[in-house]
Amino acid sequence: MWAYAGQKHRVNTDLLIEREKASFDLTELTYIVDGGPQKTRRRRCIQTLALNDTDFQEKDPAFLSRDEQYTSIVRRSTLLVKKLKELNLTDMSDQDIYRQAALRMKNSIFTVHDSMVIPMLQTQADETQKRKWLPKALNYEIICSYVQTELGHGTFVRGLETTATYDPSNQEFIINSPTLTSTKWWPGYSGKSANCCILMAQLCSQGKKYGLHAFIVPLRRFDDHELLPGVKTGDIGPKLGIGSNDNGFCRFDNVRIPRENLLSKYSKIDPDGTYHPPNNDKMVYTGMVLSRIALLALSAQMLDVGCTISTRYSAVRRQTELTPGGEEPQIIDYQSQQLKLFPQLAAAYAFRFAVHDIRTRCDQIQADIKSGDISSLQELHGLSAGMKSFICLSANLGLEVLRLSCGGHGYSQASGFPAIYGVVTGTVTADGEYSVLMLQTARYLVKCVAKAASGEKLPHSIAYLTTKPESKCPAKSENDILDLETLVNAYKHRAYRLVNEAARQLTQGIQAGKPQHEAWNDSHVYLIKAADAHCHYYTVMNFVQYLQSTEMSQPLRDVLTSLCQLYALYGIESNAGDLLQDGYMSGEQISMVTNQVVALLAVIRPNAVALVDAFDIPDEMLGSILGRYDGNVYENLYKWAKESPLNQTEVHHSYHEYLKPLLTASPVDAKL
């Protein structure tokens, strides 16, 4: 591994043996994961620059107070901006690589500014606004947050209460938080860091409401960071994780901004208050789409980290006796441990390839939008909402399985799991809770069912709804059940049936006389299940297509095929009821599935450590003693524990304040 070639201390013998077992070229897989040898070399070069820079070194955040964590991230974030300029790293991908390495995979205070605000200015601002605001944003003359979610409303964006009322006499918008529940709540880095924001508010003009629109709203004075008149912001307090982030609240009391601060590429307002709507009202949600794609990519990446930690630790950790009187085996040799590790490892690769496809599709659709073609916007919205929910929840649940696989040590912050879990569990609800976003995808799918029935052509990811799939699984043997086409067809059948069943349930409710909204609510269980099945099908289909379309050596193809088979079969076993319910698969075929899941654990076992090594995550970014590349876990756990602030004195001050008086007052103590 490149990051550790210079290490002089020993590497754990068990890990050395594991790496020698690999049946494929680890570097080849790293190249595929990165997108090619040139990208791998550049990533490593940029990471090395950041990791070797002592300016970014910091005390373990586990031993810092929240105030210290925030101060640390502010210091390093501002330093990061200076370093990027000095190094002339202008490419966004290069900047992201450097940022992740420099901040050890923690967020910068500019994360929202860079990943959401700048893209929104580029895509939703008109040319005049771009000339005014983009240079300020790109040069960090402003620090901008994205402010949408409110105390009383989150995913239901139409229910947001903050208003932007146009005053034609001054050609200004008046921003107000009319109720307590309209208080903006959760926006990242708006508590103490941001001095400006893109605010999502209900546009009101000439006595009418025109829905949610994006406005540029200054929050603090640019010279001394003091709050502007009418603006109240602050930190919302400690969360489950990410203590360095100042997620904030914002309230507005008659805050005036110029008419020109309405992002006006698609919708405009004349000086007299006449409103001109966008050609497609979904354009306002492109910022959320980008955010959701960033969140699902982050969750997929964190699953890579979790797999690396738990797999390496399982190769180092020895426990109990597999053979009476024999040597304690590596816990990775227990089949029950493999069942915890390997399905998550398979999912990590499935999600990585899915993220690649989603990002490619997003880039293409954004290019289409710039050229005036918005026909694919609904597909992107449906895909990003569903896959954000699917990947984030899957990673969240998978990381807990991986943490538990590390036993008691997984509970320690030294394992890295508490920090990772604190990040990923937040992604499940950030920018849209799981069920709500799945219902958004379901709404799109139901519309596609109607289009398919009328003979309309559907986008590639939804095209399976146009043709009824085969009604029976053709597999007759356990070898048949491993066939990739057979596996894809099983997921296609499940998705087709459940999506159509959800559409039928909704239609039947409406035909029975229920109002549409009531019929929709009564169909939630079916709709969410349908959206989940669609996302699962997309992930399996994409994994298989990636294998078929990517050049690689046969040994590597064999290993990745085994992972793909395990991911698909484990999902079938977990959702066997859906395939048994309509007779697509028989009980005997499900037994074949289970047998092959077990068989694949043994197939993947020799390559497990190499498969996580191929993610090529340096120790500094991994942030885990259990997952160290050298495997020297126990000595470093002991060293880490001694660094705890509680251990800086032999006798803690609380002894003198509280314990000593109690012990002195007790007559029993004298006898002891």
Side-chain angles (χ1 to χ4, degrees):
M1 289 288 286
W2 68 277
Y4 317 105
Q7 289 183 339
K8 297 180 180 179
H9 53 277
R10 65 177 180 82
V11 175
N12 179 278
T13 302
D14 285 328
L15 276 182
L16 286 173
I17 294 171
E18 291 294 329
R19 288 169 178 138
E20 290 171 358
K21 289 180 183 178
S23 65
F24 66 93
D25 182 351
L26 185 151
T27 302
E28 182 188 4
L29 180 52
T30 300
Y31 289 163
I32 287 176
V33 166
D34 282 336
Q38 190 172 3
K39 289 186 177 181
T40 296
R41 287 191 287 270
R42 184 156 185 81
R43 172 182 59 78
R44 288 175 172 175
C45 177
I46 293 170
Q47 284 180 338
T48 300
L49 287 173
L51 295 175
N52 290 345
D53 191 331
T54 56
D55 287 341
F56 290 114
Q57 292 178 3
E58 197 66 74
K59 189 176 180 181
D60 191 320
F63 298 138
L64 298 177
S65 68
R66 183 149 185 262
D67 183 75
E68 289 172 326
Q69 289 182 48
Y70 174 68
T71 301
S72 171
I73 204 66
V74 171
R75 181 188 73 82
R76 289 180 290 149
S77 296
T78 53
L79 183 63
L80 176 69
V81 171
K82 296 176 184 177
K83 299 277 185 179
L84 288 172
K85 288 181 179 179
E86 290 172 4
L87 294 168
N88 196 29
L89 288 175
T90 57
D91 180 79
M92 294 297 289
S93 296
D94 288 349
Q95 289 182 357
D96 190 51
I97 292 167
Y98 189 87
R99 182 183 301 111
Q100 285 204 357
L103 302 183
R104 311 310 194 243
M105 298 183 82
K106 304 296 190 298
N107 284 337
S108 144
I109 63 167
F110 306 116
T111 296
V112 173
H113 177 95
D114 293 332
S115 65
M116 288 191 69
V117 172
I118 289 176
M120 283 192 73
L121 291 173
Q122 291 168 332
T123 58
Q124 295 195 35
D126 64 25
E127 292 306 313
T128 301
Q129 291 171 328
K130 286 180 184 178
R131 285 193 294 270
K132 177 179 180 179
W133 293 103
L134 260 179
K136 295 178 185 295
L138 291 169
N139 293 321
Y140 299 96
E141 295 171 30
I142 58 172
I143 306 169
C144 209
S145 179
Y146 177 78
V147 177
Q148 175 175 303
T149 299
E150 295 178 354
L151 190 58
H153 290 90
T155 312
F156 181 53
V157 292
R158 284 179 293 146
L160 296 178
E161 301 174 84
T162 302
T163 57
T165 304
Y166 184 66
D167 176 8
S169 64
N170 293 304
Q171 293 191 37
E172 292 177 330
F173 285 100
I174 306 170
I175 311 296
N176 270 300
S177 305
T179 64
L180 175 63
T181 52
S182 69
T183 304
K184 295 296 185 181
W185 202 266
W186 282 110
Y189 313 99
S190 66
K192 294 295 178 183
S193 303
N195 59 14
C196 193
C197 76
I198 287 185
L199 174 76
M200 303 304 290
Q202 303 287 350
L203 190 155
C204 307
S205 183
Q206 298 178 341
K208 296 181 181 179
K209 285 189 175 182
Y210 292 102
L212 207 63
H213 288 69
F215 301 85
I216 302 172
V217 182
L219 300 173
R220 297 174 178 271
R221 293 202 301 242
F222 294 164
D223 56 349
D224 62 7
H225 212 57
E226 291 291 337
L227 288 173
L228 289 167
V231 177
K232 293 181 180 178
T233 73
D235 179 76
I236 63 170
K239 307 168 290 290
L240 183 64
I242 323 181
S244 60
N245 286 20
D246 59 317
N247 295 82
F249 63 81
C250 299
R251 286 189 60 79
F252 303 92
D253 182 12
N254 292 317
V255 174
R256 288 180 171 267
I257 59 172
R259 176 177 66 92
E260 294 78 13
N261 282 28
L262 165 68
L263 293 187
S264 301
K265 181 171 184 177
Y266 300 108
S267 56
K268 303 181 189 303
I269 197 158
D270 292 337
D272 66 357
T274 302
Y275 175 72
H276 301 277
N279 293 330
N280 188 317
D281 61 1
K282 299 297 183 185
M283 294 303 301
V284 72
Y285 301 132
T286 54
M288 285 186 290
V289 168
L290 295 174
S291 177
R292 288 166 182 171
I293 292 174
L295 288 169
L296 68 87
L298 173 63
S299 289
Q301 184 182 40
M302 291 298 101
L303 187 59
D304 297 347
V305 173
C307 286
T308 302
I309 294 168
S310 55
T311 301
R312 286 179 181 166
Y313 178 64
S314 295
V316 169
R317 179 77 164 176
R318 289 179 173 271
Q319 200 77 179
T320 322
E321 294 179 355
L322 194 59
T323 303
E327 182 185 24
E328 289 183 287
Q330 299 162 274
I331 62 173
I332 198 171
D333 285 331
Y334 288 104
Q335 191 180 78
S336 56
Q337 184 76 348
Q338 294 169 11
L339 190 60
K340 296 172 188 172
L341 300 176
F342 299 165
Q344 306 310 323
L345 178 57
Y349 274 94
F351 295 162
R352 182 170 277 265
F353 298 143
V355 168
H356 177 270
D357 187 71
I358 292 167
R359 279 179 163 162
T360 300
R361 186 72 182 127
C362 179
D363 291 344
Q364 180 58 56
I365 291 173
Q366 282 190 298
D368 292 343
I369 291 172
K370 286 180 181 178
S371 64
D373 179 6
I374 60 173
S375 60
S376 298
L377 186 58
Q378 281 193 323
E379 179 199 4
L380 180 61
H381 180 263
L383 180 65
S384 63
M387 289 304 293
K388 181 267 182 185
S389 293
F390 182 75
I391 289 180
C392 291
L393 182 62
S394 298
N396 177 259
L397 298 174
L399 282 167
E400 178 63 0
V401 172
L402 295 173
R403 182 188 71 79
L404 293 171
S405 76
C406 294
H409 290 322
Y411 188 66
S412 169
Q413 295 223 22
S415 72
F417 277 109
I420 300 167
Y421 188 82
V423 171
V424 175
T425 197
T427 68
V428 181
T429 49
D431 283 352
E433 184 270 337
Y434 171 85
S435 298
V436 177
L437 289 193
M438 278 298 191
L439 287 169
Q440 290 183 14
T441 296
R443 192 179 297 277
Y444 172 65
L445 293 172
V446 168
K447 290 178 181 178
C448 288
V449 168
K451 289 180 180 180
S454 64
E456 287 189 47
K457 186 178 180 180
L458 298 179
H460 174 69
S461 63
I462 315 292
Y464 68 93
L465 292 174
T466 59
T467 306
K468 187 174 182 178
E470 55 191 14
S471 59
K472 296 285 184 182
C473 176
K476 291 181 172 58
S477 69
E478 292 190 358
N479 281 335
D480 292 342
I481 213 76
L482 290 172
D483 179 70
L484 295 181
E485 185 178 355
T486 298
L487 294 173
V488 170
N489 286 338
Y491 278 88
K492 182 189 297 184
H493 174 91
R494 175 175 176 252
Y496 179 93
R497 183 176 75 82
L498 292 179
V499 170
N500 278 275
E501 176 62 24
R504 276 194 297 273
Q505 288 290 335
L506 180 62
T507 301
Q508 288 172 4
I510 294 172
Q511 290 175 345
K514 294 179 182 179
Q516 200 278 340
H517 67 274
E518 186 176 323
W520 180 264
N521 184 55
D522 290 346
S523 304
H524 271 196
V525 171
Y526 300 96
L527 292 162
I528 292 172
K529 194 169 187 178
D532 181 87
H534 166 71
C535 293
H536 214 158
Y537 163 66
Y538 172 86
T539 305
V540 172
M541 175 191 67
N542 185 74
F543 200 158
V544 172
Q545 288 181 347
Y546 199 88
L547 280 173
Q548 293 171 342
S549 62
T550 305
E551 286 189 26
M552 63 186 79
S553 66
Q554 192 58 46
L556 178 56
R557 186 174 301 280
D558 290 343
V559 172
L560 288 182
T561 298
S562 296
L563 280 180
C564 183
Q565 290 167 332
L566 179 61
Y567 179 75
L569 289 169
Y570 188 77
I572 289 173
E573 186 180 39
S574 301
N575 298 280
D578 294 337
L579 296 162
L580 290 168
Q581 188 176 22
D582 70 337
Y584 180 78
M585 295 187 82
S586 65
E588 182 181 358
Q589 287 173 321
I590 294 298
S591 294
M592 293 178 191
V593 169
T594 301
N595 291 341
Q596 285 303 311
V597 166
V598 173
L600 284 167
L601 299 178
V603 172
I604 293 168
R605 165 66 187 90
N607 288 299
V609 169
L611 282 166
V612 298
D613 281 354
F615 290 136
D616 208 22
I617 306 171
D619 276 353
E620 297 91 337
M621 296 174 66
L622 197 68
S624 169
I625 289 175
L626 301 192
R628 292 172 59 96
Y629 181 81
D630 63 17
N632 296 328
V633 172
Y634 300 127
E635 51 266 65
N636 284 288
L637 268 178
Y638 184 60
K639 179 181 177 182
W640 181 85
K642 289 194 293 183
E643 293 175 2
S644 169
L646 287 178
N647 293 327
Q648 301 315 301
T649 58
E650 287 297 329
V651 180
H652 194 262
H653 65 81
S654 62
Y655 167 80
H656 299 286
E657 293 179 49
Y658 305 110
L659 283 175
K660 185 177 180 180
L662 175 67
L663 295 171
T664 304
S666 172
V668 178
D669 291 345
K671 297 178 182 179
L672 292 174

